[in-house]
Amino acid sequence: MRGDQRDRHAWRTGLIDTGLAAVIGGAVLLAGFTTSGPRPGNADVVLVMAGSLALAVHRRAPVPVLVFTAACMLGYAVHANPGTSAAFPVVAGVHAVTRAGHRAAAVGVSVVFLVGFFFASTSGDGFERTLLLHGWFICAGVTGLIDKNWQAYLRQTEERAAEAERTREEAALRRAGEERLRIARELHDSLTHSISIVKLQAGVAVHLARKRGEEVPEALLAIQEASGEAMRELRATLDVLRTDVVPPGSGLDRLGELVERARAAGLAASVTVTGEERRLPADVDRAAYRIVQEALTNVARHAGRAKASVQLTYASDHLAVQIDDEGASTTADPPTPGTGLTGMRERVTALGGVLHAAPRPDGGFTVRAELPLGAS
């Protein structure tokens, strides 16, 4: 329970306790004024209200409150001989003290009050009234013990529920860690070998071409560079899966390298930055880089050597990433969204942003993502 909730709960509980204490005091005075005997005087009213209203703070100091209430009501009984109604506040105090775990204090105060009430009775039925009050005090003690055990049961239930929730979260984290390790092993066994072969073959082809004095094709150099970068990113991804720690330098700080590789592959790419550049949240930084990477890859794959432009706009509350190309896509024949666009949309949605990916009215394709800078 948070601090403000605790304060509201304490205020509400105190208000209820005060109301109940006032009701008990009013019931005692009403019984005193409606009986056939002498009516309570001003001093009696003060004793009854003081002893009753003290019950409002029984949660803070149950034993002192019970002693004070019993003293006030015993004084009222000695002075006015009001009958059994004088014991109402004391019975309530015994219940509260027993619920708080002070059984010895409850028994001691009850015995003292009953003895004093018996000797204070001036009528001939003092013994019967004292015996009746004895039953009331026993009932108050029993209900206090039941209430105490019930509260302990509720606390144990809450603790068990919290423990079960914590255990469930730990089990989920453990399963997630085991799944990350399994994925890391699968990626290593399947992709690392294949990419290594591609990089090796491209390197051998470049070496032989240079040895024979031939001009190395740009496509072959692009394959060699791309395969090397793919190996680096795959190793970084495997490290993240195994350790759950993202290495530094995996965001827009590598945008220049990404664009240079795209240009080396024959893609006419340009970058424009507007707004005040600043440090971004790590997840926003990585998402922006991956969106640009996937968009440029799609341009190279589907639009050939079409011109592409990357625009980053730093606003006060979000980062806008837009990639436009001059390919052959049209609004009349929109492409079918693939894994790349789906992955981009998932990244943006996870950060609470908005993604627009569609053909441009004058031809080509545009991808625009708005990433809130408050997300982290």
Side-chain angles (χ1 to χ4, degrees):
M1 187 181 295
R2 295 179 299 180
D4 54 345
Q5 292 177 333
R6 284 195 298 267
D7 293 340
R8 287 197 297 268
H9 177 72
W11 181 84
R12 186 165 54 248
T13 302
L15 186 62
I16 293 174
D17 289 343
T18 303
L20 290 177
V23 169
I24 292 174
V28 173
L29 290 178
L30 180 63
F33 281 109
T34 56
T35 56
S36 58
R39 295 189 176 187
N42 293 335
D44 299 324
V45 173
V46 172
L47 287 173
V48 170
M49 294 310 299
S52 300
L53 292 178
L55 295 172
V57 294
H58 73 274
R59 299 179 189 274
R60 301 178 184 176
V63 175
V65 166
L66 175 60
V67 172
F68 178 79
T69 298
C72 290
M73 302 315 297
L74 189 58
Y76 172 54
V78 171
H79 185 264
N81 191 25
T84 55
S85 61
F88 289 168
V90 186
V91 171
V94 168
H95 172 86
V97 168
T98 308
R99 183 180 58 188
H102 306 287
R103 286 180 288 183
V107 172
V109 173
S110 299
V111 170
V112 172
F113 181 83
L114 289 173
V115 171
F117 184 85
F118 173 74
F119 286 106
S121 299
T122 58
S123 59
D125 59 348
F127 178 77
E128 289 80 3
R129 291 195 296 177
T130 304
L131 188 62
L132 175 63
L133 290 182
H134 183 268
W136 289 6
F137 278 96
I138 291 177
C139 290
V142 171
T143 55
L145 288 176
I146 294 174
D147 195 359
K148 178 177 180 293
N149 293 333
W150 174 250
Q151 295 297 328
Y153 170 75
L154 291 180
R155 285 193 298 269
Q156 292 176 359
T157 303
E158 292 176 355
E159 290 173 359
R160 285 197 296 268
E163 178 67 18
E165 182 67 21
R166 184 182 63 81
T167 304
R168 194 158 48 242
E169 292 177 357
E170 291 178 352
L173 291 175
R174 184 173 62 253
R175 287 194 297 269
E178 293 172 352
E179 182 65 13
R180 286 200 308 270
L181 291 177
R182 187 190 67 81
I183 294 173
R185 289 193 297 269
E186 293 294 331
L187 287 176
H188 181 272
D189 295 340
S190 59
L191 293 182
T192 305
H193 177 72
S194 300
I195 296 176
S196 298
I197 293 298
V198 171
K199 184 175 184 298
L200 178 62
Q201 294 292 341
V204 170
V206 170
H207 174 71
L208 292 178
R210 288 173 176 169
K211 186 176 181 179
R212 291 193 296 263
E214 300 175 355
E215 182 179 357
V216 181
E218 292 184 1
L220 190 58
L221 293 173
I223 291 173
Q224 185 184 31
E225 177 68 20
S227 59
E229 178 62 21
M231 282 296 297
R232 287 190 292 271
E233 292 203 0
L234 181 58
R235 290 194 187 99
T237 301
L238 293 178
D239 288 340
V240 172
L241 288 174
R242 289 193 175 100
T243 63
D244 200 22
V245 176
V246 180
S250 56
L252 291 177
D253 55 336
R254 298 172 54 199
L255 182 59
E257 301 175 10
L258 176 63
V259 173
E260 287 299 325
R261 288 198 303 274
R263 291 169 180 167
L267 188 65
S270 62
V271 178
T272 304
V273 179
T274 58
E276 181 182 355
E277 291 189 62
R278 55 190 181 276
R279 185 179 182 84
L280 300 173
D283 47 4
V284 175
D285 194 24
R286 290 193 301 273
Y289 175 80
R290 294 302 182 188
I291 290 171
V292 176
Q293 184 184 45
E294 180 62 30
L296 292 181
T297 300
N298 288 340
V299 173
R301 183 184 302 160
H302 302 294
R305 294 177 176 270
K307 183 179 179 181
S309 63
V310 179
Q311 182 173 354
L312 302 178
T313 303
Y314 289 82
S316 59
D317 58 348
H318 71 275
L319 171 70
V321 182
Q322 182 166 332
I323 303 94
D324 298 314
D325 69 73
E326 299 178 356
S329 296
T330 62
T331 55
D333 186 23
T336 302
T339 305
L341 285 177
T342 302
M344 278 194 283
R345 193 172 301 280
E346 290 173 348
R347 286 180 182 274
V348 174
T349 302
L351 295 175
V354 178
L355 178 72
H356 171 74
R360 301 166 62 193
D362 53 350
F365 200 83
T366 184
V367 174
R368 178 178 175 83
E370 293 186 2
L371 306 174
L373 296 183
S376 59

